[in-house]
Amino acid sequence: MDVKTADAALLQTRYRLTRQRSGVLHALGDGAHLTAEAILERVRSEQPQVSLGTVYRTLEILRGLGLVQAFTPAGGASLYEAALDKHHHILCTRCREVRNVTIPGLATIASEAAGRLSFDDVDYALTITGRCPSCSTEERASA
Amino acid sequence: MDVKTADAALLQTRYRLTRQRSGVLHALGDGAHLTAEAILERVRSEQPQVSLGTVYRTLEILRGLGLVQAFTPAGGASLYEAALDKHHHILCTRCREVRNVTIPGLATIASEAAGRLSFDDVDYALTITGRCPSCSTEERASA
DNA sequence: CTCTCTGCAAAGCATTTGCACATTG
DNA sequence: CAATGTGCAAATGCTTTGCAGAGAG
């Protein structure tokens, strides 16, 4: 879903399409994983008066509508991204960069596990951690 | 690993085995998933003067030694448990109870995915969310 | 006896919220 | 115009930390 479609999606709801909300959607338009603070910076480059509170309130609404996905790495601020396909995250523990990974077959595994315990209405999130190729290289060089 | 073994493991390190650290290990001895605050309560039933700061400092050390595992559910305080086998978590989004799940085959899937991106030193955590059986029942009853 | 640990309280950081004014539909 | 949204700043909740005295080895 691109930004224009997302703007339109917002209009279909009880929520108003404001300059600020559109700004948040645009900030996430390139697929980046951003903290609320980083989103604020992007939005402020166009609309200098926007507040962090508004960014958080907006992200919460967009998450409820399924337009945004949130992901909280251990020991850090939450990262937000546009909700495109279902995917998972791999986080470098050294540089903290996050990349997306798609894992076919995980849906089946997770719902089987949930089924064994009779859970309903199931969702799941896999986070992989490790050293990314460039951090591995740098580390070996300095060791 | 039981508590006595864990006490011993701590002695093998540069860390001192204090009453407080032993208390935290005991608090986790029954396999519960506890917040730092809940651990403090348990420890205080034996040692009323222990502080929350000490609990956090101790948990961090124990985590570094691999004696404790931490898990942070979306929008809540971190939960700590004794590190036994490798397992994952299923969280009821209504009552917030956490249960353990073991998922054979996940290790393979995760390391394949990480390998495709050339990540080293890989770990992974799967969190499943949903409605537990009793919450499902209650919800249907009240609907 | 030395070095590490602890309690306390203050600070830190991400996130949420109350309120009066501004804006949307 | 009525209802919703916004900026601001204070409040919140979890976690971390500086310091001076206590305790482990």
Side-chain angles (χ1 to χ4, degrees):
Chain A
M1 176 170 331
D2 65 17
V3 173
K4 215 182 300 181
T5 318
D7 275 4
L10 195 54
L11 274 173
Q12 309 300 312
T13 67
R14 67 176 196 79
Y15 299 109
R16 292 178 177 172
L17 178 55
T18 62
R19 214 174 318 116
Q20 291 88 336
R21 288 176 185 170
S22 204
V24 169
L25 283 166
H26 277 81
L28 295 171
D30 67 353
H33 301 96
L34 300 175
T35 61
E37 196 80 49
I39 293 168
L40 180 66
E41 257 177 63
R42 289 193 177 189
V43 176
R44 277 194 171 162
S45 70
E46 300 285 318
Q47 307 174 49
Q49 78 301 343
V50 174
S51 73
L52 193 53
T54 294
V55 171
Y56 277 111
R57 278 185 283 227
T58 300
L59 287 168
E60 185 51 32
I61 290 170
L62 296 177
R63 211 176 49 73
L65 295 173
L67 298 173
V68 160
Q69 268 181 274
F71 153 67
T72 308
S78 295
L79 300 173
Y80 301 86
E81 64 184 310
L84 304 164
D85 52 336
K86 174 82 180 171
H87 64 257
H88 300 278
H89 296 112
I90 182 162
L91 165 71
C92 176
T93 49
R94 189 163 175 270
C95 68
R96 304 196 65 85
E97 189 192 290
V98 177
R99 297 179 57 184
N100 292 346
V101 213
T102 56
I103 304 193
L106 186 54
T108 311
I109 289 184
S111 56
E112 274 171 11
R116 258 183 271 132
L117 297 172
S118 309
F119 272 60
D120 285 342
D121 201 4
V122 170
D123 194 13
Y124 56 95
L126 177 70
T127 302
I128 304 179
T129 55
R131 295 299 167 106
C132 71
S134 54
C135 281
S136 274
T137 306
E138 282 180 41
E139 205 164 45
R140 265 192 285 275
S142 70
Chain B
M1 178 173 327
D2 66 16
V3 173
K4 215 183 299 181
T5 317
D7 275 4
L10 196 53
L11 274 172
Q12 309 299 312
T13 67
R14 68 177 196 79
Y15 299 109
R16 292 182 175 167
L17 179 55
T18 61
R19 214 173 317 118
Q20 292 87 338
R21 288 177 184 168
S22 205
V24 169
L25 282 166
H26 277 81
L28 295 171
D30 68 352
H33 301 96
L34 300 175
T35 60
E37 196 80 49
I39 292 169
L40 179 66
E41 256 177 65
R42 288 194 177 189
V43 176
R44 278 194 171 161
S45 70
E46 299 285 317
Q47 307 173 50
Q49 78 300 344
V50 174
S51 73
L52 192 54
T54 294
V55 170
Y56 276 112
R57 278 184 286 227
T58 299
L59 288 169
E60 186 51 31
I61 290 171
L62 297 177
R63 211 176 49 73
L65 295 174
L67 298 172
V68 160
Q69 267 181 276
F71 154 68
T72 307
S78 295
L79 300 173
Y80 301 86
E81 64 183 311
L84 305 165
D85 53 337
K86 175 81 179 171
H87 64 257
H88 300 278
H89 295 113
I90 183 162
L91 166 70
C92 176
T93 49
R94 187 164 177 270
C95 67
R96 304 196 66 86
E97 188 191 289
V98 177
R99 296 179 56 181
N100 291 347
V101 212
T102 55
I103 304 192
L106 185 54
T108 312
I109 289 184
S111 55
E112 274 170 11
R116 260 182 269 131
L117 298 172
S118 309
F119 272 61
D120 284 342
D121 202 4
V122 170
D123 194 13
Y124 57 94
L126 176 69
T127 301
I128 305 178
T129 55
R131 294 300 166 104
C132 71
S134 53
C135 281
S136 275
T137 306
E138 282 180 40
E139 206 164 45
R140 266 193 284 274
S142 71

PDB file of all heavy atoms in Angstrom, chain A residues 11 16-17 19 52 56-57 77-78, chain C residues 14-19 23-25:
ATOM      1  N   LEU A  11      -9.314   7.959   5.383  1.00  0.00           N
ATOM      2  CA  LEU A  11     -10.562   8.685   5.159  1.00  0.00           C
ATOM      3  C   LEU A  11     -11.797   7.809   5.301  1.00  0.00           C
ATOM      4  O   LEU A  11     -12.879   8.302   5.615  1.00  0.00           O
ATOM      5  CB  LEU A  11     -10.548   9.312   3.758  1.00  0.00           C
ATOM      6  CG  LEU A  11      -9.876  10.676   3.675  1.00  0.00           C
ATOM      7  CD1 LEU A  11      -9.770  11.118   2.227  1.00  0.00           C
ATOM      8  CD2 LEU A  11     -10.681  11.701   4.476  1.00  0.00           C
ATOM      9  N   ARG A  16     -10.088  11.572  11.162  1.00  0.00           N
ATOM     10  CA  ARG A  16      -9.916  12.664  10.200  1.00  0.00           C
ATOM     11  C   ARG A  16      -8.530  12.598   9.578  1.00  0.00           C
ATOM     12  O   ARG A  16      -7.572  12.213  10.231  1.00  0.00           O
ATOM     13  CB  ARG A  16     -10.116  14.003  10.902  1.00  0.00           C
ATOM     14  CG  ARG A  16     -11.557  14.159  11.325  1.00  0.00           C
ATOM     15  CD  ARG A  16     -11.799  15.446  12.054  1.00  0.00           C
ATOM     16  NE  ARG A  16     -13.225  15.541  12.349  1.00  0.00           N
ATOM     17  CZ  ARG A  16     -13.763  16.481  13.116  1.00  0.00           C
ATOM     18  NH1 ARG A  16     -12.994  17.404  13.668  1.00  0.00           N
ATOM     19  NH2 ARG A  16     -15.054  16.506  13.319  1.00  0.00           N
ATOM     20  N   LEU A  17      -8.472  12.985   8.320  1.00  0.00           N
ATOM     21  CA  LEU A  17      -7.173  13.012   7.644  1.00  0.00           C
ATOM     22  C   LEU A  17      -6.563  14.388   7.836  1.00  0.00           C
ATOM     23  O   LEU A  17      -6.938  15.341   7.157  1.00  0.00           O
ATOM     24  CB  LEU A  17      -7.345  12.722   6.152  1.00  0.00           C
ATOM     25  CG  LEU A  17      -6.052  12.763   5.349  1.00  0.00           C
ATOM     26  CD1 LEU A  17      -5.012  11.814   5.934  1.00  0.00           C
ATOM     27  CD2 LEU A  17      -6.322  12.398   3.894  1.00  0.00           C
ATOM     28  N   ARG A  19      -3.130  17.057   8.338  1.00  0.00           N
ATOM     29  CA  ARG A  19      -1.799  17.286   7.789  1.00  0.00           C
ATOM     30  C   ARG A  19      -0.786  16.407   8.536  1.00  0.00           C
ATOM     31  O   ARG A  19       0.095  15.794   7.948  1.00  0.00           O
ATOM     32  CB  ARG A  19      -1.456  18.768   7.981  1.00  0.00           C
ATOM     33  CG  ARG A  19      -0.624  19.400   6.901  1.00  0.00           C
ATOM     34  CD  ARG A  19      -0.482  20.922   7.152  1.00  0.00           C
ATOM     35  NE  ARG A  19      -1.736  21.537   7.573  1.00  0.00           N
ATOM     36  CZ  ARG A  19      -1.960  22.126   8.764  1.00  0.00           C
ATOM     37  NH1 ARG A  19      -1.011  22.189   9.677  1.00  0.00           N
ATOM     38  NH2 ARG A  19      -3.128  22.658   9.037  1.00  0.00           N
ATOM     39  N   LEU A  52       5.802  15.437  19.457  1.00  0.00           N
ATOM     40  CA  LEU A  52       6.044  14.013  19.612  1.00  0.00           C
ATOM     41  C   LEU A  52       4.779  13.290  20.080  1.00  0.00           C
ATOM     42  O   LEU A  52       4.503  12.160  19.666  1.00  0.00           O
ATOM     43  CB  LEU A  52       7.179  13.818  20.615  1.00  0.00           C
ATOM     44  CG  LEU A  52       7.809  12.443  20.721  1.00  0.00           C
ATOM     45  CD1 LEU A  52       8.269  11.921  19.374  1.00  0.00           C
ATOM     46  CD2 LEU A  52       8.983  12.500  21.691  1.00  0.00           C
ATOM     47  N   TYR A  56       3.085   9.874  18.404  1.00  0.00           N
ATOM     48  CA  TYR A  56       2.696   8.655  19.107  1.00  0.00           C
ATOM     49  C   TYR A  56       1.205   8.368  18.958  1.00  0.00           C
ATOM     50  O   TYR A  56       0.801   7.240  18.716  1.00  0.00           O
ATOM     51  CB  TYR A  56       3.047   8.751  20.592  1.00  0.00           C
ATOM     52  CG  TYR A  56       4.483   8.401  20.904  1.00  0.00           C
ATOM     53  CD1 TYR A  56       5.381   9.365  21.319  1.00  0.00           C
ATOM     54  CD2 TYR A  56       4.934   7.087  20.778  1.00  0.00           C
ATOM     55  CE1 TYR A  56       6.701   9.039  21.621  1.00  0.00           C
ATOM     56  CE2 TYR A  56       6.251   6.762  21.070  1.00  0.00           C
ATOM     57  CZ  TYR A  56       7.133   7.735  21.491  1.00  0.00           C
ATOM     58  OH  TYR A  56       8.424   7.405  21.777  1.00  0.00           O
ATOM     59  N   ARG A  57       0.388   9.399  19.108  1.00  0.00           N
ATOM     60  CA  ARG A  57      -1.053   9.178  18.982  1.00  0.00           C
ATOM     61  C   ARG A  57      -1.394   8.688  17.587  1.00  0.00           C
ATOM     62  O   ARG A  57      -2.213   7.780  17.404  1.00  0.00           O
ATOM     63  CB  ARG A  57      -1.816  10.464  19.305  1.00  0.00           C
ATOM     64  CG  ARG A  57      -1.989  10.669  20.810  1.00  0.00           C
ATOM     65  CD  ARG A  57      -2.855  11.891  21.128  1.00  0.00           C
ATOM     66  NE  ARG A  57      -2.093  13.125  20.954  1.00  0.00           N
ATOM     67  CZ  ARG A  57      -2.065  14.132  21.839  1.00  0.00           C
ATOM     68  NH1 ARG A  57      -2.753  14.058  22.966  1.00  0.00           N
ATOM     69  NH2 ARG A  57      -1.373  15.216  21.593  1.00  0.00           N
ATOM     70  N   ALA A  77      14.120   1.747  21.887  1.00  0.00           N
ATOM     71  CA  ALA A  77      12.842   2.348  21.541  1.00  0.00           C
ATOM     72  C   ALA A  77      12.171   1.546  20.437  1.00  0.00           C
ATOM     73  O   ALA A  77      12.836   0.900  19.627  1.00  0.00           O
ATOM     74  CB  ALA A  77      13.050   3.781  21.088  1.00  0.00           C
ATOM     75  N   SER A  78      10.859   1.599  20.379  1.00  0.00           N
ATOM     76  CA  SER A  78      10.103   0.890  19.348  1.00  0.00           C
ATOM     77  C   SER A  78      10.403   1.453  17.974  1.00  0.00           C
ATOM     78  O   SER A  78      10.645   2.647  17.822  1.00  0.00           O
ATOM     79  CB  SER A  78       8.611   1.012  19.617  1.00  0.00           C
ATOM     80  OG  SER A  78       8.279   0.356  20.812  1.00  0.00           O
TER      81      SER A  78
ATOM     82  P    DA C  14      14.901   7.181  24.421  1.00  0.00           P
ATOM     83  OP1  DA C  14      15.613   6.393  23.408  1.00  0.00           O
ATOM     84  OP2  DA C  14      14.796   8.645  24.290  1.00  0.00           O
ATOM     85  O5'  DA C  14      13.437   6.569  24.578  1.00  0.00           O
ATOM     86  C5'  DA C  14      13.358   5.165  24.819  1.00  0.00           C
ATOM     87  C4'  DA C  14      11.922   4.802  25.079  1.00  0.00           C
ATOM     88  O4'  DA C  14      11.465   5.446  26.280  1.00  0.00           O
ATOM     89  C3'  DA C  14      10.952   5.213  23.969  1.00  0.00           C
ATOM     90  O3'  DA C  14      10.081   4.111  23.747  1.00  0.00           O
ATOM     91  C2'  DA C  14      10.250   6.433  24.539  1.00  0.00           C
ATOM     92  C1'  DA C  14      10.272   6.150  26.036  1.00  0.00           C
ATOM     93  N9   DA C  14      10.306   7.334  26.892  1.00  0.00           N
ATOM     94  C8   DA C  14      11.088   8.449  26.743  1.00  0.00           C
ATOM     95  N7   DA C  14      10.913   9.349  27.680  1.00  0.00           N
ATOM     96  C5   DA C  14       9.952   8.781  28.507  1.00  0.00           C
ATOM     97  C6   DA C  14       9.329   9.225  29.687  1.00  0.00           C
ATOM     98  N6   DA C  14       9.591  10.403  30.257  1.00  0.00           N
ATOM     99  N1   DA C  14       8.417   8.415  30.255  1.00  0.00           N
ATOM    100  C2   DA C  14       8.153   7.221  29.684  1.00  0.00           C
ATOM    101  N3   DA C  14       8.675   6.692  28.580  1.00  0.00           N
ATOM    102  C4   DA C  14       9.576   7.533  28.033  1.00  0.00           C
ATOM    103  P    DT C  15       8.948   4.228  22.654  1.00  0.00           P
ATOM    104  OP1  DT C  15       8.647   2.849  22.257  1.00  0.00           O
ATOM    105  OP2  DT C  15       9.300   5.247  21.648  1.00  0.00           O
ATOM    106  O5'  DT C  15       7.719   4.760  23.517  1.00  0.00           O
ATOM    107  C5'  DT C  15       7.261   3.967  24.605  1.00  0.00           C
ATOM    108  C4'  DT C  15       6.174   4.692  25.368  1.00  0.00           C
ATOM    109  O4'  DT C  15       6.700   5.873  25.978  1.00  0.00           O
ATOM    110  C3'  DT C  15       4.990   5.156  24.510  1.00  0.00           C
ATOM    111  O3'  DT C  15       3.860   4.402  24.934  1.00  0.00           O
ATOM    112  C2'  DT C  15       4.872   6.653  24.806  1.00  0.00           C
ATOM    113  C1'  DT C  15       5.638   6.795  26.112  1.00  0.00           C
ATOM    114  N1   DT C  15       6.234   8.116  26.394  1.00  0.00           N
ATOM    115  C2   DT C  15       5.838   8.787  27.543  1.00  0.00           C
ATOM    116  O2   DT C  15       5.011   8.334  28.321  1.00  0.00           O
ATOM    117  N3   DT C  15       6.436  10.010  27.738  1.00  0.00           N
ATOM    118  C4   DT C  15       7.372  10.616  26.932  1.00  0.00           C
ATOM    119  O4   DT C  15       7.832  11.719  27.225  1.00  0.00           O
ATOM    120  C5   DT C  15       7.752   9.865  25.747  1.00  0.00           C
ATOM    121  C7   DT C  15       8.761  10.430  24.796  1.00  0.00           C
ATOM    122  C6   DT C  15       7.167   8.666  25.538  1.00  0.00           C
ATOM    123  P    DT C  16       2.409   4.686  24.385  1.00  0.00           P
ATOM    124  OP1  DT C  16       1.681   3.414  24.477  1.00  0.00           O
ATOM    125  OP2  DT C  16       2.501   5.429  23.124  1.00  0.00           O
ATOM    126  O5'  DT C  16       1.801   5.667  25.496  1.00  0.00           O
ATOM    127  C5'  DT C  16       1.906   5.265  26.849  1.00  0.00           C
ATOM    128  C4'  DT C  16       1.180   6.263  27.725  1.00  0.00           C
ATOM    129  O4'  DT C  16       1.929   7.483  27.830  1.00  0.00           O
ATOM    130  C3'  DT C  16      -0.215   6.664  27.223  1.00  0.00           C
ATOM    131  O3'  DT C  16      -1.058   6.560  28.350  1.00  0.00           O
ATOM    132  C2'  DT C  16      -0.034   8.101  26.737  1.00  0.00           C
ATOM    133  C1'  DT C  16       1.072   8.595  27.645  1.00  0.00           C
ATOM    134  N1   DT C  16       1.960   9.655  27.128  1.00  0.00           N
ATOM    135  C2   DT C  16       2.228  10.731  27.938  1.00  0.00           C
ATOM    136  O2   DT C  16       1.738  10.887  29.027  1.00  0.00           O
ATOM    137  N3   DT C  16       3.111  11.643  27.400  1.00  0.00           N
ATOM    138  C4   DT C  16       3.735  11.582  26.173  1.00  0.00           C
ATOM    139  O4   DT C  16       4.518  12.453  25.815  1.00  0.00           O
ATOM    140  C5   DT C  16       3.399  10.426  25.380  1.00  0.00           C
ATOM    141  C7   DT C  16       4.017  10.256  24.040  1.00  0.00           C
ATOM    142  C6   DT C  16       2.542   9.532  25.887  1.00  0.00           C
ATOM    143  P    DT C  17      -2.621   6.859  28.262  1.00  0.00           P
ATOM    144  OP1  DT C  17      -3.241   5.974  29.259  1.00  0.00           O
ATOM    145  OP2  DT C  17      -3.036   6.825  26.846  1.00  0.00           O
ATOM    146  O5'  DT C  17      -2.757   8.377  28.777  1.00  0.00           O
ATOM    147  C5'  DT C  17      -2.111   8.734  29.983  1.00  0.00           C
ATOM    148  C4'  DT C  17      -2.468  10.170  30.337  1.00  0.00           C
ATOM    149  O4'  DT C  17      -1.513  11.068  29.718  1.00  0.00           O
ATOM    150  C3'  DT C  17      -3.847  10.641  29.872  1.00  0.00           C
ATOM    151  O3'  DT C  17      -4.380  11.464  30.889  1.00  0.00           O
ATOM    152  C2'  DT C  17      -3.546  11.463  28.621  1.00  0.00           C
ATOM    153  C1'  DT C  17      -2.205  12.068  28.998  1.00  0.00           C
ATOM    154  N1   DT C  17      -1.306  12.440  27.877  1.00  0.00           N
ATOM    155  C2   DT C  17      -0.468  13.519  28.047  1.00  0.00           C
ATOM    156  O2   DT C  17      -0.447  14.184  29.062  1.00  0.00           O
ATOM    157  N3   DT C  17       0.346  13.789  26.983  1.00  0.00           N
ATOM    158  C4   DT C  17       0.402  13.102  25.792  1.00  0.00           C
ATOM    159  O4   DT C  17       1.183  13.443  24.907  1.00  0.00           O
ATOM    160  C5   DT C  17      -0.504  11.983  25.674  1.00  0.00           C
ATOM    161  C7   DT C  17      -0.528  11.187  24.426  1.00  0.00           C
ATOM    162  C6   DT C  17      -1.306  11.710  26.710  1.00  0.00           C
ATOM    163  P    DG C  18      -5.933  11.725  31.014  1.00  0.00           P
ATOM    164  OP1  DG C  18      -6.419  10.857  32.093  1.00  0.00           O
ATOM    165  OP2  DG C  18      -6.547  11.643  29.657  1.00  0.00           O
ATOM    166  O5'  DG C  18      -5.991  13.239  31.506  1.00  0.00           O
ATOM    167  C5'  DG C  18      -5.029  13.720  32.472  1.00  0.00           C
ATOM    168  C4'  DG C  18      -5.122  15.232  32.580  1.00  0.00           C
ATOM    169  O4'  DG C  18      -4.229  15.843  31.614  1.00  0.00           O
ATOM    170  C3'  DG C  18      -6.491  15.826  32.280  1.00  0.00           C
ATOM    171  O3'  DG C  18      -6.647  17.020  33.056  1.00  0.00           O
ATOM    172  C2'  DG C  18      -6.432  16.118  30.784  1.00  0.00           C
ATOM    173  C1'  DG C  18      -4.967  16.494  30.592  1.00  0.00           C
ATOM    174  N9   DG C  18      -4.367  16.067  29.325  1.00  0.00           N
ATOM    175  C8   DG C  18      -4.619  14.905  28.634  1.00  0.00           C
ATOM    176  N7   DG C  18      -3.892  14.796  27.543  1.00  0.00           N
ATOM    177  C5   DG C  18      -3.129  15.950  27.517  1.00  0.00           C
ATOM    178  C6   DG C  18      -2.156  16.391  26.586  1.00  0.00           C
ATOM    179  O6   DG C  18      -1.761  15.822  25.566  1.00  0.00           O
ATOM    180  N1   DG C  18      -1.614  17.619  26.942  1.00  0.00           N
ATOM    181  C2   DG C  18      -1.968  18.342  28.047  1.00  0.00           C
ATOM    182  N2   DG C  18      -1.352  19.496  28.226  1.00  0.00           N
ATOM    183  N3   DG C  18      -2.874  17.945  28.937  1.00  0.00           N
ATOM    184  C4   DG C  18      -3.411  16.745  28.607  1.00  0.00           C
ATOM    185  P    DC C  19      -8.004  17.817  33.064  1.00  0.00           P
ATOM    186  OP1  DC C  19      -8.168  18.339  34.436  1.00  0.00           O
ATOM    187  OP2  DC C  19      -9.071  17.043  32.422  1.00  0.00           O
ATOM    188  O5'  DC C  19      -7.634  19.055  32.130  1.00  0.00           O
ATOM    189  C5'  DC C  19      -6.433  19.803  32.383  1.00  0.00           C
ATOM    190  C4'  DC C  19      -6.200  20.798  31.263  1.00  0.00           C
ATOM    191  O4'  DC C  19      -5.561  20.143  30.149  1.00  0.00           O
ATOM    192  C3'  DC C  19      -7.492  21.421  30.727  1.00  0.00           C
ATOM    193  O3'  DC C  19      -7.352  22.828  30.720  1.00  0.00           O
ATOM    194  C2'  DC C  19      -7.616  20.849  29.320  1.00  0.00           C
ATOM    195  C1'  DC C  19      -6.145  20.619  28.954  1.00  0.00           C
ATOM    196  N1   DC C  19      -5.926  19.602  27.900  1.00  0.00           N
ATOM    197  C2   DC C  19      -4.934  19.835  26.933  1.00  0.00           C
ATOM    198  O2   DC C  19      -4.270  20.867  26.995  1.00  0.00           O
ATOM    199  N3   DC C  19      -4.733  18.903  25.965  1.00  0.00           N
ATOM    200  C4   DC C  19      -5.471  17.797  25.940  1.00  0.00           C
ATOM    201  N4   DC C  19      -5.234  16.908  24.971  1.00  0.00           N
ATOM    202  C5   DC C  19      -6.489  17.541  26.910  1.00  0.00           C
ATOM    203  C6   DC C  19      -6.685  18.463  27.867  1.00  0.00           C
ATOM    204  P    DT C  23      -5.293  26.183  13.041  1.00  0.00           P
ATOM    205  OP1  DT C  23      -3.945  26.361  12.487  1.00  0.00           O
ATOM    206  OP2  DT C  23      -6.361  27.208  12.924  1.00  0.00           O
ATOM    207  O5'  DT C  23      -5.896  24.832  12.441  1.00  0.00           O
ATOM    208  C5'  DT C  23      -5.719  23.627  13.136  1.00  0.00           C
ATOM    209  C4'  DT C  23      -6.630  22.578  12.536  1.00  0.00           C
ATOM    210  O4'  DT C  23      -7.775  22.412  13.415  1.00  0.00           O
ATOM    211  C3'  DT C  23      -7.180  22.865  11.157  1.00  0.00           C
ATOM    212  O3'  DT C  23      -6.856  21.755  10.358  1.00  0.00           O
ATOM    213  C2'  DT C  23      -8.694  23.033  11.356  1.00  0.00           C
ATOM    214  C1'  DT C  23      -8.939  22.258  12.650  1.00  0.00           C
ATOM    215  N1   DT C  23     -10.028  22.750  13.542  1.00  0.00           N
ATOM    216  C2   DT C  23     -10.959  21.851  14.001  1.00  0.00           C
ATOM    217  O2   DT C  23     -10.963  20.674  13.695  1.00  0.00           O
ATOM    218  N3   DT C  23     -11.906  22.386  14.849  1.00  0.00           N
ATOM    219  C4   DT C  23     -11.994  23.695  15.270  1.00  0.00           C
ATOM    220  O4   DT C  23     -12.877  24.049  16.040  1.00  0.00           O
ATOM    221  C5   DT C  23     -10.972  24.589  14.741  1.00  0.00           C
ATOM    222  C7   DT C  23     -10.982  26.021  15.125  1.00  0.00           C
ATOM    223  C6   DT C  23     -10.055  24.080  13.905  1.00  0.00           C
ATOM    224  P    DT C  24      -7.457  21.511   8.893  1.00  0.00           P
ATOM    225  OP1  DT C  24      -6.393  20.884   8.095  1.00  0.00           O
ATOM    226  OP2  DT C  24      -8.116  22.760   8.457  1.00  0.00           O
ATOM    227  O5'  DT C  24      -8.579  20.426   9.168  1.00  0.00           O
ATOM    228  C5'  DT C  24      -8.190  19.129   9.626  1.00  0.00           C
ATOM    229  C4'  DT C  24      -9.436  18.279   9.737  1.00  0.00           C
ATOM    230  O4'  DT C  24     -10.376  18.933  10.608  1.00  0.00           O
ATOM    231  C3'  DT C  24     -10.133  18.055   8.397  1.00  0.00           C
ATOM    232  O3'  DT C  24     -10.380  16.673   8.251  1.00  0.00           O
ATOM    233  C2'  DT C  24     -11.415  18.892   8.498  1.00  0.00           C
ATOM    234  C1'  DT C  24     -11.654  18.968  10.002  1.00  0.00           C
ATOM    235  N1   DT C  24     -12.286  20.225  10.501  1.00  0.00           N
ATOM    236  C2   DT C  24     -13.346  20.122  11.372  1.00  0.00           C
ATOM    237  O2   DT C  24     -13.813  19.068  11.751  1.00  0.00           O
ATOM    238  N3   DT C  24     -13.852  21.324  11.801  1.00  0.00           N
ATOM    239  C4   DT C  24     -13.412  22.591  11.454  1.00  0.00           C
ATOM    240  O4   DT C  24     -13.952  23.589  11.918  1.00  0.00           O
ATOM    241  C5   DT C  24     -12.300  22.617  10.527  1.00  0.00           C
ATOM    242  C7   DT C  24     -11.753  23.936  10.065  1.00  0.00           C
ATOM    243  C6   DT C  24     -11.801  21.455  10.094  1.00  0.00           C
ATOM    244  P    DG C  25     -10.890  16.109   6.813  1.00  0.00           P
ATOM    245  OP1  DG C  25     -10.431  14.722   6.678  1.00  0.00           O
ATOM    246  OP2  DG C  25     -10.578  17.111   5.781  1.00  0.00           O
ATOM    247  O5'  DG C  25     -12.470  16.082   7.031  1.00  0.00           O
ATOM    248  C5'  DG C  25     -13.009  15.206   8.006  1.00  0.00           C
ATOM    249  C4'  DG C  25     -14.510  15.410   8.105  1.00  0.00           C
ATOM    250  O4'  DG C  25     -14.781  16.737   8.607  1.00  0.00           O
ATOM    251  C3'  DG C  25     -15.237  15.309   6.764  1.00  0.00           C
ATOM    252  O3'  DG C  25     -16.469  14.639   6.971  1.00  0.00           O
ATOM    253  C2'  DG C  25     -15.481  16.762   6.387  1.00  0.00           C
ATOM    254  C1'  DG C  25     -15.690  17.396   7.756  1.00  0.00           C
ATOM    255  N9   DG C  25     -15.396  18.825   7.844  1.00  0.00           N
ATOM    256  C8   DG C  25     -14.452  19.542   7.155  1.00  0.00           C
ATOM    257  N7   DG C  25     -14.426  20.812   7.481  1.00  0.00           N
ATOM    258  C5   DG C  25     -15.420  20.934   8.450  1.00  0.00           C
ATOM    259  C6   DG C  25     -15.856  22.070   9.174  1.00  0.00           C
ATOM    260  O6   DG C  25     -15.438  23.217   9.115  1.00  0.00           O
ATOM    261  N1   DG C  25     -16.886  21.737  10.056  1.00  0.00           N
ATOM    262  C2   DG C  25     -17.426  20.474  10.216  1.00  0.00           C
ATOM    263  N2   DG C  25     -18.399  20.350  11.103  1.00  0.00           N
ATOM    264  N3   DG C  25     -17.020  19.402   9.539  1.00  0.00           N
ATOM    265  C4   DG C  25     -16.017  19.708   8.682  1.00  0.00           C
TER     266       DG C  25
END
